[in-house]
Amino acid sequence: MKRSMTLILTIIFILVTAVPVYGTEGHSNGTTRDSAGFSDVPADHWAYNAINWMVGNGIVEGTGENQFMPARGVTRDEYAKMMVLTLNLKLINPPGESFLDIKKGGWQFKYVETAKPYMTGFRTAKGDYFKPSDSAVREDMAVALVKALGFSNETTDPSVLSQFSDEAQISPNLKKYVAIAVSHGLMEGYESGGKKVFAPNEGLNRASAAVLLYNAFKENEDKIAYDDEKVTYDDVENSGEEESNSEEEGADEETDHDTGLVSSDIRVSISGDKALLSWDRITSSSFTGYKVVISRNDSTPVYPDNGYLAYITDRNTTSMTVKAGDGYNGGDIGGNLKSGVDYYFSITVLYNDGKVPGNVVRTKLPAGSNEEDEDFSAKRSSNIRVNVSGDRALLSWDRINSSDFNGYKVVISRNDSNPAYPDDGYFAYITDRNTTSITVKAGDCYNGGDIGGNLESGVNYYFSITVLYNDGKTPGNAIRAKLP
């Protein structure tokens, strides 16, 4: 049952983010409102029943002037707001601005800043942009889902995307997230023109979202457990539905009603080139997630002071593997974990009203299997290759194994025969060391440099890769080719 509900709630999460007004009142008080009054949703409208049900349950509302606007799309700032409301996140109001186009004081500011860990952004030589008025698209949903469900650090075979004829249209930086989402069955493609597509840049309109959400949720609403690990609810003590779910799920679930803030003990074992972390499952109904915390120097690491390796919201996920080269967020790690270093490992358990750090285990991270072939600290360059096929140029380059690796910058220039980031801007910023190819075509947008905004056909460009490390950067060779 819990597996089924996780899938149901995941579908709800995908779709509700595309609905401009969200609430939960209708689920709890049984009141309904009729959508028949919308002038643009007559009784014979294909989505009438779904819209009527969703409005009646307080999930969506009209847009004013007696309209629902079923064909209207959803912008990225609306998507951020729905993300925050869906996950019941506490609004943050930082002193500074993370994005150049989201100003403090605007209605979007708190929502975008709060949703930032789950959302995509756009990095340029001038700084980061959010592009609030752009459409929220399917690849954005993939990123949000994977991050919210704690799957970000999973390793997935990228070939799962080869089933889609439009694989090349998926943003290079987001392919990892899309692959994970597809592998877990969180998102699927569909047939278009006789081919299967993922449609990464396609958004949902309000009517489609209403129908999909209605179909996914209405027939299963009686199955939702208030203590489900994917959704945060207000206290529901003495709830008949919660008691019913407890009886169905077995005696061991009785402890889910425990509201005590307890810690989780971690265990670390070494297997080959990886460290296997495992920890105690938390059953409290106020549980919100595990933060896997590592430190070089702090013998009592805790989130947020020491950053985190992974944020896991599924209470049943109580293990993960760690290896040299894995990226780390904050703390004293310096970007990536390194082999041969003694680290302190711990779990900080997050609850609705607090956090509790656990025990600490100190372990040396083993060397990776490829370290025998290459100095893991070497700041080497990456050689690029360019192959023109049809209306595209396929760029490919050498994989970088260094534990200090931070990313690849794909750099293009009209006039500079030795282009490098940041002087010549960049086409793409790729943080997955295993992603070593990308397609380029006329009309693609370019950030900075002498390109002038978009790449043009029939122009000879210089192509190169600048490898970014935690403490520097190394430009590679350059190849000149005409864009078809």
Side-chain angles (χ1 to χ4, degrees):
M1 175 180 251
K2 296 195 89 173
R3 289 179 180 273
S4 298
M5 280 318 307
T6 297
L7 178 58
I8 291 168
L9 290 172
T10 296
I11 297 172
I12 292 172
F13 175 79
I14 296 174
L15 300 172
V16 78
T17 54
V19 183
V21 183
Y22 175 86
T24 57
E25 294 81 6
H27 297 298
S28 58
N29 61 25
T31 60
T32 59
R33 298 185 302 280
D34 193 354
S35 69
F38 292 131
S39 61
D40 54 355
V41 186
D44 60 352
H45 189 282
W46 64 275
Y48 176 85
N49 289 335
I51 293 172
N52 190 60
W53 179 84
M54 292 182 67
V55 170
N57 283 276
I59 297 175
V60 296
E61 295 180 1
T63 58
E65 297 183 356
N66 198 32
Q67 291 189 324
F68 182 78
M69 293 188 178
R72 196 185 83 176
V74 181
T75 59
R76 284 172 53 83
D77 52 7
E78 291 173 333
Y79 179 59
K81 182 177 181 179
M82 293 308 101
M83 174 80 66
V84 171
L85 295 178
T86 301
L87 296 178
N88 195 25
L89 300 176
K90 183 179 180 180
L91 283 176
I92 64 172
N93 187 21
E97 300 164 344
S98 298
F99 301 99
L100 298 176
D101 52 356
I102 300 291
K103 299 303 181 183
K104 192 174 179 67
W107 74 264
Q108 310 108 316
F109 180 74
K110 293 181 181 180
Y111 292 109
V112 170
E113 291 291 342
T114 303
K116 178 182 174 183
Y118 306 98
M119 295 287 288
T120 55
F122 301 86
R123 179 153 293 170
T124 72
K126 296 180 180 179
D128 292 353
Y129 289 85
F130 186 76
K131 299 186 179 180
S133 299
D134 282 10
S135 296
V137 296
R138 283 169 53 82
E139 65 179 11
D140 289 340
M141 296 178 187
V143 173
L145 274 176
V146 168
K147 288 188 174 183
L149 294 173
F151 297 151
S152 299
N153 286 303
E154 290 195 5
T155 300
T156 300
D157 186 352
S159 66
V160 70
L161 301 180
S162 63
Q163 62 182 293
F164 304 119
S165 62
D166 57 351
E167 176 187 1
Q169 296 177 24
I170 302 172
S171 297
N173 289 348
L174 308 186
K175 283 190 174 183
K176 165 189 171 181
Y177 297 99
V178 174
I180 294 175
V182 171
S183 296
H184 278 278
L186 305 180
M187 299 184 72
E188 297 180 352
Y190 59 88
E191 293 295 325
S192 176
K195 297 180 179 180
K196 189 172 184 179
V197 299
F198 182 78
N201 296 306
E202 177 185 283
L204 293 175
N205 63 37
R206 283 163 57 82
S208 296
V211 169
L212 291 171
L213 181 57
Y214 173 80
N215 291 337
F217 180 74
K218 184 176 186 300
E219 298 305 322
N220 299 284
E221 58 184 331
D222 60 318
K223 297 180 182 177
I224 287 186
Y226 284 102
D227 63 349
D228 192 279
E229 55 267 24
K230 294 299 184 293
V231 180
T232 300
Y233 293 86
D234 293 333
D235 291 339
V236 289
E237 292 183 7
N238 302 318
S239 163
E241 182 173 356
E242 184 182 25
E243 293 172 0
S244 172
N245 284 326
S246 294
E247 294 173 0
E248 293 175 6
E249 292 171 1
D252 62 334
E253 289 299 312
E254 292 178 1
T255 55
D256 281 2
H257 299 287
D258 174 23
T259 58
L261 307 187
V262 299
S263 62
S264 177
D265 285 342
I266 195 171
R267 297 164 291 278
V268 183
S269 62
I270 301 299
S271 177
D273 62 346
K274 298 179 176 64
L276 174 63
L277 314 184
S278 60
W279 54 90
D280 297 337
R281 178 181 182 271
I282 297 298
T283 60
S284 170
S285 58
S286 62
F287 168 88
T288 62
Y290 307 106
K291 287 281 188 177
V292 181
V293 188
I294 307 175
S295 176
R296 274 177 174 264
N297 307 307
D298 191 340
S299 60
T300 57
V302 60
Y303 173 83
D305 297 345
N306 299 98
Y308 69 99
L309 174 71
Y311 176 35
I312 300 171
T313 59
D314 180 356
R315 71 174 73 240
N316 297 311
T317 299
T318 56
S319 66
M320 72 176 294
T321 57
V322 181
K323 63 183 184 303
D326 285 349
Y328 194 85
N329 305 286
D332 60 3
I333 300 299
N336 294 81
L337 297 170
K338 297 182 179 181
S339 63
V341 175
D342 281 302
Y343 291 107
Y344 296 96
F345 297 83
S346 185
I347 299 293
T348 296
V349 183
L350 304 188
Y351 296 93
N352 291 330
D353 52 355
K355 59 182 182 293
V356 180
N359 70 317
V360 179
V361 174
R362 193 180 189 199
T363 300
K364 181 178 292 186
L365 208 58
S369 59
N370 56 358
E371 290 192 24
E372 298 177 358
D373 302 326
E374 177 183 355
D375 179 4
F376 233 55
S377 63
K379 306 297 186 296
R380 57 185 287 263
S381 62
S382 179
N383 289 325
I384 195 171
R385 297 165 290 278
V386 181
N387 180 42
V388 175
S389 177
D391 62 346
R392 302 169 190 270
L394 174 63
L395 315 183
S396 59
W397 55 89
D398 298 336
R399 179 184 183 275
I400 297 297
N401 295 321
S402 170
S403 58
D404 284 332
F405 170 85
N406 186 266
Y408 307 107
K409 288 281 188 178
V410 181
V411 187
I412 308 174
S413 175
R414 279 176 173 264
N415 306 306
D416 190 343
S417 59
N418 293 293
Y421 173 82
D423 295 344
D424 295 286
Y426 71 100
F427 175 69
Y429 176 35
I430 300 171
T431 58
D432 180 0
R433 70 175 73 242
N434 296 312
T435 300
T436 56
S437 66
I438 189 174
T439 57
V440 181
K441 64 182 185 302
D444 283 347
C445 182
Y446 194 85
N447 305 288
D450 59 4
I451 300 299
N454 293 84
L455 297 169
E456 299 177 5
S457 62
V459 175
N460 279 302
Y461 291 107
Y462 295 97
F463 298 86
S464 185
I465 299 293
T466 295
V467 182
L468 303 188
Y469 295 94
N470 293 326
D471 55 356
K473 56 185 180 293
T474 305
N477 69 316
I479 291 181
R480 193 180 191 203
K482 182 179 290 186
L483 204 60

